[in-house]
Amino acid sequence: MICIYSPKTSSRFEYIVEILFNRILHVNFITTSDFVQFTNFVGPKINYSITYSNNFDSIRIPDEGLLWQTDISNLNIEIQGKGLETILFVNKNFEFYFDIFSASFYLITRYEEYVNQHDRDKWGRFEAKNSIAFQNDFLQYPIIHFWAKKLGQNIQNNYPEFQFKLPEFQFIPTFDIDTAFAFKNRSVSKQIVLISRDLLFLKFNNLINRILVLLSMKNDHYDTYQYIKDWCIQNQFSPKIFLQMGAYPNGFDKSIISQNQFFKTWAKSLNTWATIGIHPSVKASKEINTLQKEIKLFENLTGKSPEISRQHYLMLFMPDTYTNLIQLGIKEDNTMGYADSIGFRSSIAVKYPFFDLKINKISSLVVQPFAVMDGTLMQYMNLEKEEAYEKVAELISITQILGGDFVFLWHNNSFSDSFEWKGWKSVFEKMIAKAKN
């Protein structure tokens, strides 16, 4: 048990203390604003204040004020170091020389994404390159785990009886189904339109593949579900699969999942070996009515309400995306990662409750961050297969050392071993082998 003193409290303070001590260090703790209780406490103690000198047998952590604010503002943050040596909210006058509580809170809540509404990509998404983590070379680390470990070691130096345990490493595969099948299981009228389009635009290779699949002479290259299932069962993984329900004439929401019996049977078969959730479309990311419509389609297809989600194209807007999901009953979101770079967007590698800065409250929504997406490696970072694996292997090693969940995002078509994804199965298989070591 550790006692943490602060002369005042707030939802921000209680939130980040729970994250650091409960979810990362796995330590029982109490917080108090009663200085007499604090001084009389027998055991490890932390003094989080600027009022009292360090003559009460405690670890002193500087209080830089962020956790007592109730608004969102442009902060003048002192940053020191690069990579794992980076610290935020520096105050060298204290034994523990930076405000780990404020620094961790700032990163995990994505405070900078509320403040910076200008540096966005064409989709309106906050890009990795504009983050403090990317600019200071610690995006590849769940640095909050590293800071928490340093704090734990510091406490141990003063209280040898103090024990902590970093999170266990978990390898969690997740899959987004943007388009269920490339050619098959579409209506006759739709097939006629698509064949006509192939002819019109001289897409003869596409036309030949389409006809071979329709004649059952070739497998549909998006139909990789048995391969995925076999790997997950063989390695005793508990995967998550997100189904995109929206199909709109906008060029990027192209789901062909229909409400017919074939797709209902298909969805239920997925649910026998994976947890299935909804993959809200780009259109649904900004329109709650569209999101509600897609949830209804998901319910009709699967016979149950979705509890988990991941946004198509990773369309995450703080806090509106999460507010809409909460309003419609989603319990866990898996969008917390970047499209343009691999790494830890919220600087943490365990699930955590979403804290809404606009209303200064902890929400009911759980956030599951991910570290790697297939499209990021191949399309955004333009990596060759071996180089991509090396980058992923480095992240896996880091997560194994600091503890937590290594979550990756792959798509069904990435296993097709055809077109631009030819040979990328090897990256997936080597990634699994690395995680199992």
Side-chain angles (χ1 to χ4, degrees):
M1 175 75 73
I2 186 167
C3 182
I4 306 164
Y5 169 77
S6 171
K8 49 189 172 180
T9 191
S10 70
S11 57
R12 293 183 176 191
F13 172 71
E14 296 292 341
Y15 172 77
I16 201 58
V17 168
E18 192 276 336
I19 295 290
L20 290 172
F21 287 95
N22 192 346
R23 295 175 185 264
I24 299 180
L25 293 179
H26 297 99
V27 171
N28 293 325
F29 68 92
I30 59 170
T31 60
T32 182
S33 298
D34 183 336
F35 197 69
V36 174
Q37 179 188 12
F38 176 66
T39 55
N40 291 334
F41 182 84
V42 178
K45 295 188 284 190
I46 289 177
N47 181 352
Y48 184 57
S49 70
I50 58 173
T51 306
Y52 300 101
S53 62
N54 191 28
N55 57 357
F56 298 103
D57 186 30
S58 62
I59 307 296
R60 290 191 71 207
I61 295 178
D63 171 10
E64 296 299 295
L66 175 61
L67 302 186
W68 320 124
Q69 297 176 9
T70 57
D71 60 350
I72 305 168
S73 58
N74 284 301
L75 303 173
N76 184 20
I77 303 172
E78 183 176 351
I79 303 174
Q80 178 180 302
K82 291 285 186 180
L84 268 183
E85 300 304 314
T86 307
I87 52 175
L88 283 62
F89 297 90
V90 180
N91 190 327
K92 295 182 180 178
N93 296 322
F94 284 66
E95 177 185 359
F96 202 83
Y97 48 93
F98 74 106
D99 185 349
I100 184 176
F101 296 152
S102 289
S104 300
F105 181 83
Y106 183 85
L107 293 176
I108 196 173
T109 60
R110 306 307 306 129
Y111 196 109
E112 62 185 330
E113 296 188 35
Y114 288 79
V115 174
N116 185 352
Q117 295 293 325
H118 305 292
D119 298 326
R120 304 283 168 142
D121 69 6
K122 66 179 181 179
W123 302 100
R125 300 175 300 187
F126 185 82
E127 294 181 277
K129 67 181 182 182
N130 295 316
S131 68
I132 285 177
F134 184 91
Q135 293 169 0
N136 291 277
D137 299 327
F138 66 86
L139 180 60
Q140 69 271 35
Y141 305 108
I143 200 167
I144 295 175
H145 294 224
F146 181 73
W147 291 341
K149 180 181 179 182
K150 285 286 188 183
L151 177 59
Q153 292 170 336
N154 190 287
I155 297 170
Q156 276 186 336
N157 291 338
N158 290 269
Y159 305 94
E161 74 277 14
F162 178 78
Q163 298 293 322
F164 67 90
K165 181 182 178 183
L166 292 173
E168 291 186 4
F169 172 77
Q170 293 189 86
F171 188 75
I172 303 175
T174 68
F175 307 97
D176 287 356
I177 312 300
D178 297 344
T179 305
F181 301 99
F183 301 124
K184 67 181 185 179
N185 298 312
R186 306 192 190 206
S187 66
V188 174
S189 59
K190 184 65 174 178
Q191 292 290 4
I192 292 172
V193 170
L194 293 173
I195 289 171
S196 300
R197 189 179 65 180
D198 288 343
L199 289 169
L200 178 64
F201 291 101
L202 306 178
K203 295 183 177 181
F204 297 121
N205 188 46
N206 207 52
L207 177 62
I208 291 169
N209 281 310
R210 186 186 305 280
I211 292 172
L212 290 174
V213 169
L214 295 178
L215 293 175
S216 299
M217 298 174 66
K218 185 176 182 179
N219 291 329
D220 189 302
H221 61 283
Y222 282 14
D223 187 0
T224 58
Y225 307 108
Q226 189 62 49
Y227 172 84
I228 298 170
K229 176 183 177 181
D230 290 344
W231 270 100
C232 289
I233 291 175
Q234 177 183 335
N235 292 280
Q236 298 182 314
F237 294 141
S238 300
K240 303 173 189 175
I241 297 178
F242 300 94
L243 307 180
Q244 209 261 107
M245 307 304 299
Y248 312 106
N250 55 20
F252 30 82
D253 296 324
K254 299 179 180 179
S255 171
I256 62 163
I257 297 176
S258 302
Q259 299 298 308
N260 60 34
Q261 190 56 49
F262 170 83
F263 278 103
K264 289 182 178 181
T265 302
W266 169 78
K268 289 177 181 177
S269 71
L270 295 179
N271 200 34
T272 61
W273 55 274
T275 301
I276 58 174
I278 193 166
H279 193 39
S281 67
V282 170
K283 187 177 180 182
S285 69
K286 296 182 179 179
E287 300 177 9
I288 191 168
N289 290 337
T290 302
L291 176 59
Q292 189 171 32
K293 173 186 172 184
E294 292 179 14
I295 288 176
K296 287 293 184 185
L297 289 172
F298 181 95
E299 291 171 342
N300 291 336
L301 180 75
T302 65
K304 66 176 188 176
S305 298
E307 295 188 349
I308 63 173
S309 66
R310 178 186 285 127
Q311 299 292 306
H312 190 31
Y313 275 63
L314 304 181
M315 300 289 279
L316 177 58
F317 306 101
M318 306 293 290
D320 298 343
T321 301
Y322 288 155
T323 301
N324 289 344
L325 293 173
I326 292 167
Q327 186 174 334
L328 295 178
I330 299 298
K331 296 180 180 179
E332 175 189 298
D333 185 67
N334 292 253
T335 315
M336 185 57 71
Y338 287 118
D340 59 317
S341 182
I342 61 176
F344 299 90
R345 182 170 179 170
S346 54
S347 300
I348 193 169
V350 292
K351 288 183 181 180
Y352 59 90
F354 165 60
F355 189 98
D356 190 337
L357 287 172
K358 280 196 172 180
I359 59 175
N360 257 330
K361 287 185 179 180
I362 303 170
S363 77
S364 61
L365 184 73
V366 172
V367 176
Q368 171 71 81
F370 75 90
V372 173
M373 180 174 72
D374 51 6
T376 302
L377 298 167
M378 195 266 282
Q379 296 162 335
Y380 286 85
M381 299 176 71
N382 297 310
L383 300 178
E384 294 297 327
K385 291 179 283 294
E386 187 56 38
E387 187 180 8
Y389 166 70
E390 290 173 0
K391 294 284 187 183
V392 175
E394 182 180 355
L395 288 187
I396 292 173
S397 295
I398 289 166
T399 312
Q400 288 171 327
I401 293 169
L402 294 177
D405 305 333
F406 183 83
V407 184
F408 72 87
L409 188 177
W410 233 249
H411 293 78
N412 55 310
N413 58 305
S414 305
F415 299 101
S416 64
D417 206 28
S418 59
F419 303 107
E420 70 270 27
W421 291 108
K422 190 169 184 61
W424 277 80
K425 274 185 179 179
S426 65
V427 178
F428 171 75
E429 292 169 2
K430 287 162 66 177
M431 183 168 58
I432 289 178
K434 169 66 178 177
K436 299 289 283 187
N437 287 341

